[in-house]
């Protein structure tokens, strides 16, 4: 196998992994396994480029350096740097990890031979999307192929992405690509466009993701506009806009929750926008939407989603970046968009691959439109990075660029190892929940402890372990065992508050379980519990359980004014 073929197949495997790969042998089947697969294929691509001489200058080189600098600066001033590095549990999209992966994949594709024949990688991506769509369609028919796959809970298909919104975001990228191959003079590629396009569009329709529908329609319009469609340009755009309007009307009919979803999104945007002045220059820290919302959510947001609900994304890329990485982050994002369009514009001037580049432009514009309404998953971002890499047309530069290749390959390898570490922790969490469901407390406790030990920063593990230990403690008649389990939970909360001080959860664990321990025979520690609960309420002032516990504690301490104020707030958020 030559270097060129090895790079080609590695990039193809990366595209397929972005669309298809997941693993059911853990609690979250879609996050860390896909990160491992994408980082591994990226590392293999850079390994194939190892002996190449020269390098290729691209339109995104400077914007990527600017973005990296902003990421590092925002993480440095963030109250939760771990979140900025790794990103949210199960997605890893908006943290430094996701950015480095996409940058490495883009540059590997740009430095390879694939930009000079982009259809090979585009065709492979289309077939991967067709396979993912076929799986999603089987799900819609009630035929789930894999045990342990979580249902979306909404009747909409999630495919290999596990959720209809990210699935729709990935699928919309391939709609203009399918249109490109549909018009190919080669019968084989034309049939691929027809079959793949039909499957992708059918699956996209069943996601009921209106943002993805709008993105797909916008992408098709851009493709027809730039490629020189047989239809007059105005007519083609008119047909697509009419189709989108019909689709939106259908969405209102088919999705009775659409009005609720829209009002919640507006309340979400308002809450996120109100948080921006708090840290205007470098933001709250990458991927910190959920953290800032728990502190900043408005009463309208609480009424729309309920007092216990939050969001992990702003559902708008500009608001997401402004709130988490500030105005400097917005400037870096603008430079990235300008650089991307410059690269696409330069590639469009080459008539040989105009239809391919027009399809890529349509895919990227479609994802850009979708990002105004919904979060973008890591798989879609990696596909977009690959497509952008196919538009690189710069002449090879002299020199071996050995240090950069070493750094890029090392970054991909490090991300792969990080993903494996995250996988190990989540695997233990998966076993813990399985043992708990089977009524086996000893191995369940061991697995919960292992999950927290392997990833002490993930509160998803810590909170579930605390809940289970507390339940065992309450049910156990042995006073010593009861107290030991509750003290372990309190210590876990104390450790969680130390490693993630920006979150309310560690402080809430301390306060809540100090009260529970006092109710089960331990010496009362009301003052310590009050300090912990107050710290939690500073970070999440609208959570009913926190308000109720602190209200009861205030009453026990004889602070009637505080108890009454907390009661009024509890009634307000619970309406």
């Amino acid at each position: 196998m030559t270097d060129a073929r090895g790079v080609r197949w590695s990039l193809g495997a990366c595209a397929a992994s972005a669309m298809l790969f997941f693993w059911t042998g853990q609690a979250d089947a879609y996050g860390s396994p896909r990160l491992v697969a994408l980082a591994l294929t990226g590392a293999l691509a850079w390994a194939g480029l190892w002996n190449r001489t020269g390098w290729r200058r691209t339109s995104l080189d400077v914007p990527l350096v600017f973005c990296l600098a902003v990421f590092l600066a925002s993480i440095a001033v963030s109250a939760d740097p771990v979140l900025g590095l790794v990103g949210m549990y199960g997605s890893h999209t908006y943290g430094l990890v996701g950015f480095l992966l996409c940058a490495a994949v883009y540059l590997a594709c740009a430095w390879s031979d694939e930009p000079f024949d982009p259809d090979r990688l585009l065709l492979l991506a289309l077939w991967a999307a067709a396979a993912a769509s076929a799986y999603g369609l089987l799900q819609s028919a009630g035929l789930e192929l894999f045990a342990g796959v979580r249902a979306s809970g909404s009747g909409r298909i999630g495919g290999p992405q596990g959720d209809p919104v990210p699935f729709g975001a990935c699928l919309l990228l391939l709609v203009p690509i399918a249109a490109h191959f549909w018009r190919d003079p080669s019968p084989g590629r034309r049939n691929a466009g027809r079959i793949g396009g039909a499957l992708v569009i059918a699956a996209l329709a069943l996601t009921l993701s209106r943002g993805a529908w709008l993105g797909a329609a916008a992408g098709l319009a851009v493709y027809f506009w730039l490629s020189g469609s047989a239809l007059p340009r105005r007519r083609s755009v008119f047909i697509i806009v009419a189709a989108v309007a019909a689709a939106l009307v259908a969405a209102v009919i088919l999705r009775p929750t659409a009005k609720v979803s829209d009002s919640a999104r507006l309340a979400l945007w308002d809450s996120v926008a109100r948080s921006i002045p708090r840290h205007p220059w470098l933001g709250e820290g990458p991927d910190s939407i959920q953290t800032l919302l728990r502190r900043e959510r408005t009463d309208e947001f609480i009424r729309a989603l309920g007092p216990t609900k939050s969001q992990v994304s702003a559902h708008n890329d500009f608001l997401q970046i402004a709130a988490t990485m500030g105005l400097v982050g917005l400037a870096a994002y603008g430079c990235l968009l300008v650089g991307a369009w410059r690269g696409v514009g330069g590639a469009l001037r080459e008539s040989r691959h105009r239809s391919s580049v027009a399809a890529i432009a349509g895919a990227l514009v479609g994802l850009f439109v979708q990002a105004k309404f919904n979060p973008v998953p890591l798989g879609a971002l990696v596909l977009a990075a690959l497509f952008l890499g196919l538009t690189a047309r710069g002449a090879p530069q002299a020199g071996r660029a050995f240090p950069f290749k070493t750094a890029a390959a090392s970054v991909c390898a490090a991300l792969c190892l990080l993903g494996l570490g995250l996988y190990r922790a989540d695997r233990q969490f998966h076993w813990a929940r399985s043992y708990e469901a089977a009524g086996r407390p000893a191995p369940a406790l061991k697995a919960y402890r292992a999950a927290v030990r392997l990833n002490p920063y993930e509160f998803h593990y810590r909170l579930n372990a605390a809940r289970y230990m507390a339940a065992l403690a309450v049910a156990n008649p042995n006073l010593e065992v009861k107290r030991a389990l509750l003290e372990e939970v309190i210590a876990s909360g104390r450790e969680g508050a130390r490693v993630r001080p920006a979150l309310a959860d560690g402080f809430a664990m301390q306060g809540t379980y100090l009260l529970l321990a006092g109710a089960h025979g331990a010496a009362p520690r009301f003052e310590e519990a009050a300090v912990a609960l107050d710290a939690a309420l500073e970070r999440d002032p609208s959570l009913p359980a926190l308000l109720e516990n602190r209200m009861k504690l205030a009453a026990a301490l004889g602070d009637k004014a505080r108890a009454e104020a907390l009661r009024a707030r509890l009634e307000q958020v619970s309406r």
Side-chain angles (χ1 to χ4, degrees), residues 108-121:
C109 187
W111 286 23
S112 72
D113 295 332
E114 297 311 297
F116 301 107
D117 189 4
D119 280 356
R120 292 178 301 196
L121 187 56

PDB file of all heavy atoms in Angstrom, residues 108-121:
ATOM      1  N   ALA A 108      -4.660  17.381   7.524  1.00  0.00           N
ATOM      2  CA  ALA A 108      -4.263  16.113   6.914  1.00  0.00           C
ATOM      3  C   ALA A 108      -4.893  15.961   5.535  1.00  0.00           C
ATOM      4  O   ALA A 108      -4.235  15.543   4.569  1.00  0.00           O
ATOM      5  CB  ALA A 108      -4.657  14.951   7.813  1.00  0.00           C
ATOM      6  N   CYS A 109      -6.160  16.301   5.416  1.00  0.00           N
ATOM      7  CA  CYS A 109      -6.838  16.219   4.118  1.00  0.00           C
ATOM      8  C   CYS A 109      -6.259  17.240   3.146  1.00  0.00           C
ATOM      9  O   CYS A 109      -6.028  16.938   1.973  1.00  0.00           O
ATOM     10  CB  CYS A 109      -8.334  16.429   4.304  1.00  0.00           C
ATOM     11  SG  CYS A 109      -9.317  16.163   2.816  1.00  0.00           S
ATOM     12  N   ALA A 110      -5.995  18.467   3.622  1.00  0.00           N
ATOM     13  CA  ALA A 110      -5.473  19.517   2.750  1.00  0.00           C
ATOM     14  C   ALA A 110      -4.082  19.186   2.236  1.00  0.00           C
ATOM     15  O   ALA A 110      -3.730  19.521   1.102  1.00  0.00           O
ATOM     16  CB  ALA A 110      -5.448  20.844   3.511  1.00  0.00           C
ATOM     17  N   TRP A 111      -3.257  18.517   3.033  1.00  0.00           N
ATOM     18  CA  TRP A 111      -1.893  18.187   2.632  1.00  0.00           C
ATOM     19  C   TRP A 111      -1.823  16.913   1.793  1.00  0.00           C
ATOM     20  O   TRP A 111      -0.768  16.596   1.234  1.00  0.00           O
ATOM     21  CB  TRP A 111      -1.012  18.017   3.872  1.00  0.00           C
ATOM     22  CG  TRP A 111      -0.658  19.303   4.539  1.00  0.00           C
ATOM     23  CD1 TRP A 111      -1.329  20.493   4.460  1.00  0.00           C
ATOM     24  CD2 TRP A 111       0.447  19.527   5.407  1.00  0.00           C
ATOM     25  NE1 TRP A 111      -0.715  21.446   5.229  1.00  0.00           N
ATOM     26  CE2 TRP A 111       0.391  20.875   5.831  1.00  0.00           C
ATOM     27  CE3 TRP A 111       1.479  18.727   5.900  1.00  0.00           C
ATOM     28  CZ2 TRP A 111       1.318  21.440   6.699  1.00  0.00           C
ATOM     29  CZ3 TRP A 111       2.405  19.286   6.777  1.00  0.00           C
ATOM     30  CH2 TRP A 111       2.331  20.626   7.153  1.00  0.00           C
ATOM     31  N   SER A 112      -2.912  16.173   1.724  1.00  0.00           N
ATOM     32  CA  SER A 112      -2.924  14.918   0.969  1.00  0.00           C
ATOM     33  C   SER A 112      -3.163  15.185  -0.509  1.00  0.00           C
ATOM     34  O   SER A 112      -3.240  16.337  -0.956  1.00  0.00           O
ATOM     35  CB  SER A 112      -4.016  13.996   1.518  1.00  0.00           C
ATOM     36  OG  SER A 112      -5.303  14.485   1.166  1.00  0.00           O
ATOM     37  N   ASP A 113      -3.322  14.110  -1.279  1.00  0.00           N
ATOM     38  CA  ASP A 113      -3.625  14.232  -2.706  1.00  0.00           C
ATOM     39  C   ASP A 113      -5.124  14.334  -2.985  1.00  0.00           C
ATOM     40  O   ASP A 113      -5.519  14.520  -4.142  1.00  0.00           O
ATOM     41  CB  ASP A 113      -3.071  13.018  -3.464  1.00  0.00           C
ATOM     42  CG  ASP A 113      -1.550  12.943  -3.418  1.00  0.00           C
ATOM     43  OD1 ASP A 113      -0.925  14.011  -3.296  1.00  0.00           O
ATOM     44  OD2 ASP A 113      -1.004  11.822  -3.495  1.00  0.00           O
ATOM     45  N   GLU A 114      -5.951  14.201  -1.954  1.00  0.00           N
ATOM     46  CA  GLU A 114      -7.397  14.133  -2.166  1.00  0.00           C
ATOM     47  C   GLU A 114      -8.001  15.402  -2.757  1.00  0.00           C
ATOM     48  O   GLU A 114      -8.969  15.322  -3.516  1.00  0.00           O
ATOM     49  CB  GLU A 114      -8.105  13.774  -0.858  1.00  0.00           C
ATOM     50  CG  GLU A 114      -7.725  12.414  -0.314  1.00  0.00           C
ATOM     51  CD  GLU A 114      -7.811  11.330  -1.371  1.00  0.00           C
ATOM     52  OE1 GLU A 114      -8.908  11.068  -1.891  1.00  0.00           O
ATOM     53  OE2 GLU A 114      -6.757  10.747  -1.699  1.00  0.00           O
ATOM     54  N   PRO A 115      -7.489  16.604  -2.455  1.00  0.00           N
ATOM     55  CA  PRO A 115      -8.091  17.795  -3.075  1.00  0.00           C
ATOM     56  C   PRO A 115      -8.033  17.795  -4.598  1.00  0.00           C
ATOM     57  O   PRO A 115      -8.833  18.488  -5.239  1.00  0.00           O
ATOM     58  CB  PRO A 115      -7.259  18.951  -2.494  1.00  0.00           C
ATOM     59  CG  PRO A 115      -6.782  18.442  -1.183  1.00  0.00           C
ATOM     60  CD  PRO A 115      -6.502  16.994  -1.419  1.00  0.00           C
ATOM     61  N   PHE A 116      -7.118  17.019  -5.193  1.00  0.00           N
ATOM     62  CA  PHE A 116      -7.009  16.998  -6.649  1.00  0.00           C
ATOM     63  C   PHE A 116      -7.973  16.004  -7.291  1.00  0.00           C
ATOM     64  O   PHE A 116      -8.096  15.955  -8.501  1.00  0.00           O
ATOM     65  CB  PHE A 116      -5.565  16.686  -7.045  1.00  0.00           C
ATOM     66  CG  PHE A 116      -4.591  17.689  -6.494  1.00  0.00           C
ATOM     67  CD1 PHE A 116      -3.759  17.355  -5.449  1.00  0.00           C
ATOM     68  CD2 PHE A 116      -4.556  18.984  -6.991  1.00  0.00           C
ATOM     69  CE1 PHE A 116      -2.880  18.292  -4.918  1.00  0.00           C
ATOM     70  CE2 PHE A 116      -3.681  19.930  -6.465  1.00  0.00           C
ATOM     71  CZ  PHE A 116      -2.843  19.576  -5.426  1.00  0.00           C
ATOM     72  N   ASP A 117      -8.650  15.204  -6.471  1.00  0.00           N
ATOM     73  CA  ASP A 117      -9.729  14.333  -6.943  1.00  0.00           C
ATOM     74  C   ASP A 117     -10.718  14.152  -5.807  1.00  0.00           C
ATOM     75  O   ASP A 117     -10.786  13.096  -5.183  1.00  0.00           O
ATOM     76  CB  ASP A 117      -9.173  12.979  -7.401  1.00  0.00           C
ATOM     77  CG  ASP A 117     -10.247  12.136  -8.096  1.00  0.00           C
ATOM     78  OD1 ASP A 117     -11.382  12.641  -8.284  1.00  0.00           O
ATOM     79  OD2 ASP A 117      -9.953  10.978  -8.437  1.00  0.00           O
ATOM     80  N   PRO A 118     -11.479  15.202  -5.477  1.00  0.00           N
ATOM     81  CA  PRO A 118     -12.314  15.177  -4.264  1.00  0.00           C
ATOM     82  C   PRO A 118     -13.450  14.169  -4.305  1.00  0.00           C
ATOM     83  O   PRO A 118     -13.964  13.786  -3.252  1.00  0.00           O
ATOM     84  CB  PRO A 118     -12.854  16.608  -4.183  1.00  0.00           C
ATOM     85  CG  PRO A 118     -12.789  17.125  -5.579  1.00  0.00           C
ATOM     86  CD  PRO A 118     -11.591  16.484  -6.201  1.00  0.00           C
ATOM     87  N   ASP A 119     -13.845  13.727  -5.491  1.00  0.00           N
ATOM     88  CA  ASP A 119     -15.013  12.853  -5.587  1.00  0.00           C
ATOM     89  C   ASP A 119     -14.818  11.519  -4.885  1.00  0.00           C
ATOM     90  O   ASP A 119     -15.794  10.897  -4.447  1.00  0.00           O
ATOM     91  CB  ASP A 119     -15.380  12.613  -7.051  1.00  0.00           C
ATOM     92  CG  ASP A 119     -16.167  13.769  -7.639  1.00  0.00           C
ATOM     93  OD1 ASP A 119     -16.484  14.701  -6.885  1.00  0.00           O
ATOM     94  OD2 ASP A 119     -16.457  13.748  -8.847  1.00  0.00           O
ATOM     95  N   ARG A 120     -13.579  11.055  -4.768  1.00  0.00           N
ATOM     96  CA  ARG A 120     -13.364   9.763  -4.114  1.00  0.00           C
ATOM     97  C   ARG A 120     -13.798   9.809  -2.651  1.00  0.00           C
ATOM     98  O   ARG A 120     -14.513   8.917  -2.178  1.00  0.00           O
ATOM     99  CB  ARG A 120     -11.886   9.366  -4.230  1.00  0.00           C
ATOM    100  CG  ARG A 120     -11.457   9.040  -5.652  1.00  0.00           C
ATOM    101  CD  ARG A 120      -9.994   8.693  -5.740  1.00  0.00           C
ATOM    102  NE  ARG A 120      -9.122   9.770  -5.278  1.00  0.00           N
ATOM    103  CZ  ARG A 120      -7.823   9.821  -5.541  1.00  0.00           C
ATOM    104  NH1 ARG A 120      -7.250   8.870  -6.265  1.00  0.00           N
ATOM    105  NH2 ARG A 120      -7.085  10.818  -5.087  1.00  0.00           N
ATOM    106  N   LEU A 121     -13.360  10.823  -1.945  1.00  0.00           N
ATOM    107  CA  LEU A 121     -13.734  10.928  -0.534  1.00  0.00           C
ATOM    108  C   LEU A 121     -15.203  11.308  -0.379  1.00  0.00           C
ATOM    109  O   LEU A 121     -15.893  10.813   0.529  1.00  0.00           O
ATOM    110  CB  LEU A 121     -12.846  11.961   0.157  1.00  0.00           C
ATOM    111  CG  LEU A 121     -12.984  12.076   1.678  1.00  0.00           C
ATOM    112  CD1 LEU A 121     -12.739  10.735   2.351  1.00  0.00           C
ATOM    113  CD2 LEU A 121     -12.023  13.119   2.225  1.00  0.00           C
TER     114      LEU A 121
END
